[in-house]
Structures are given as C-alpha cells and as structure tokens.
Amino acid sequence: PHVSLASSPVHIGSDLRFRSIEVGGSMACGLTTMFDVYCWGSGYAGALGNGLNLDQVEPVRVEGGQLWKQVTVGGARACAIDADDRGWCWGHNSYGGLGSPRERCVAYPGEDTTTSFPVYCSAVPVEVSGNHRFKQLSAGNVATCGITTAQKLYCWGSNLNGVLGTFDASLELPAAHPEPLPVSPDKSFQQVVMSDAHACAIDIAGAAWCWGHGFTGQLGLGGPPADQCQNGTCARDPAPVAGGLTFKSIAPAGPHTCGLTTDDVAYCWGWGESGALGTGALTDRWAPARVVFQPQ
C-alpha cells in the first residue's frame, strides 16, 4: 500500500479546532472545542468509533451523539468520558479493554474475514460496565484504567505482567477481564497513566505508585520487583516509587517512566541505554533520577 510521509506539520481537519489530541499505535483521536471526538488513522477492529472497520486519512466523528470531556487512545481502541462522567470505549476488545462484554466483530462494513481467530470489538462506543463515574481514563496496549469521581482507581482488560494492578493468580492471560477491578481500594488517586506493559498513578498526597512489567527499572522501586510474571519480573500490586518525592504528573512509556514533581522538577527512571532518561548517563535507573540542566 502507498505510504505518505510528511517532513513538516500537516493540518488536521479543515474546520476542526481541538482542545486535546491523543496518539496511540497507528491511530489518533482529538477532543474538539465543540466537545466532539474525531479519530483518524487505522480503523482496524472499529478503532475509529465511526461504525466502520476502515482506515481514514481525515478525521471522522465518533458515533453516539455525546458531548465528551476527555479522550484516551490505546492499542487499536479508544475511550472517552461524556458530560455525565460515564466512561465509553470502542475498538479492539479481545482482551476486555473496552470494559464491556466481548462481542465478535461481525456485520459491519470493512469486516476482516481473513483471520482464523475471532476478533472481538465494537465499532461504536459502548459504556464501561459497573455504573462508575469517571474523572480520568487512560488506555494502554492491553488494558485500561480509570479514576472515578470518588478518586478510586479501577482497571480492566488483560492482566499481562500484572498490569491490572490486582494481585490474583487467576487473572492471567489468556483470559479477558472486561469488568473494572478495584485497585488499592484503601487509597485515593488523582491521576493514572497506562503504558504498554506497566502503569503508574499518583495518589491524592502526591505519592507515585507503579505496577506491571519492571525488568529495566521502569517501576522506580529502587530495585527489581519480587514477582515473576510471564516475561520476567513485575509488580502485580501498585508499589511505591522510591525517593519520597511528590508528583503532579507522571508519564510511563515503554521501558522507562518520567514524572514532574510539585516543585516542577523532572525525574526519570528505567532503561537508560538510549539516553532517554536525560540524566547525562546511559545507565538504567531503578529509582527516580533528576534530569540534568534544571534550575536548582
């Protein structure tokens, strides 16, 4: 297929104005100033939410008619919060990441009939089960997490490498877990961010907690986690990030994590071989390390 590349910024949507844009995998979604959600890119498994399974090079409006407050994009799916704080997801659902019962992808234009394995999805938004009200959602590669308006954390989808944050030996692949599961119900949280194989959250006191895959230090625990998961070491329950720092935002991504403290100082930890940690060295860090060249 023809691939079009651009070496400079390309205008998105002739008349659309966006409040935010989220990118994940081979698709993107944006929340407009009119509180609509538009998506573009790969339409595999209905990931664009417009009722089709077709790629789109221009933004297409997500079906449903809701006014939206937030959108997040994960692996071939997206989720959003409507004006009533209800969570909705669409796209790939084989791992239960939509937070709703799995339905096989059938009977819509562009359906992929070449695979010998059933693909589960919804090409239009479906409500996250459990009657929760959300203030924030974050979609990862195989799971989704959300913080409710009561500041409680829930996750759903696949528990590959403990990414659901709930220690339970029965919650392993290949099972899908579309029902939101409570994570550390004794704690209250203000932010959660999912990555491909690990996740981090900030509680209401500003302390950071991470869980999931931890083989290069991306959980920031000060040393390797004790659990053995499918692909090595992991933490199946949220574990405190070392150093006693207080954070106002956190960003796990791939084999590393960065966070911004309440003093506006950036720290990173995890895989450092490529220099991605910004510490001035190419070594892995198992605990938060201050990014260089910041004001003291």
Side-chain angles (χ1 to χ4, degrees), residues 45-80:
L48 302 185
N50 65 332
L52 303 176
N53 187 33
L54 303 172
D55 297 350
Q56 300 289 338
V57 297
E58 294 286 340
V60 292
R61 187 170 181 267
V62 172
E63 291 192 5
Q66 293 95 329
L67 296 178
W68 303 104
K69 300 169 68 173
Q70 187 229 336
V71 63
T72 178
V73 176
R77 73 182 190 286
C79 298

Side-chain angles (χ1 to χ4, degrees), residues 245 247 257-261 264-269 275-281 285 287-296:
L245 300 168
F247 292 91
T257 304
C258 290
L260 185 66
T261 69
D264 294 318
V265 179
Y267 287 80
C268 293
W269 54 96
L277 302 185
T279 60
R285 297 299 184 101
R290 186 184 177 109
V291 174
V292 297
F293 304 129
Q294 296 181 94
Q296 295 295 325

Side-chain angles (χ1 to χ4, degrees), residues 79-80 86-89 97-101 125-132 134 137 144 154 156 178-180:
C79 298
R86 294 182 180 273
W88 300 77
C89 297
L98 301 190
S100 61
V126 288
E127 187 172 357
V128 176
S129 58
N131 199 33
H132 300 291
F134 292 98
L137 294 174
T144 306
Y154 288 83
W156 54 94
E179 181 72 26

Side-chain angles (χ1 to χ4, degrees), residues 29-32 35-39 60-62 68 70-71 80 90:
C29 294
L31 176 66
T32 72
F35 304 101
D36 291 317
V37 169
Y38 283 77
C39 297
V60 292
R61 187 170 181 267
V62 172
W68 303 104
Q70 187 229 336
V71 63
W90 58 92

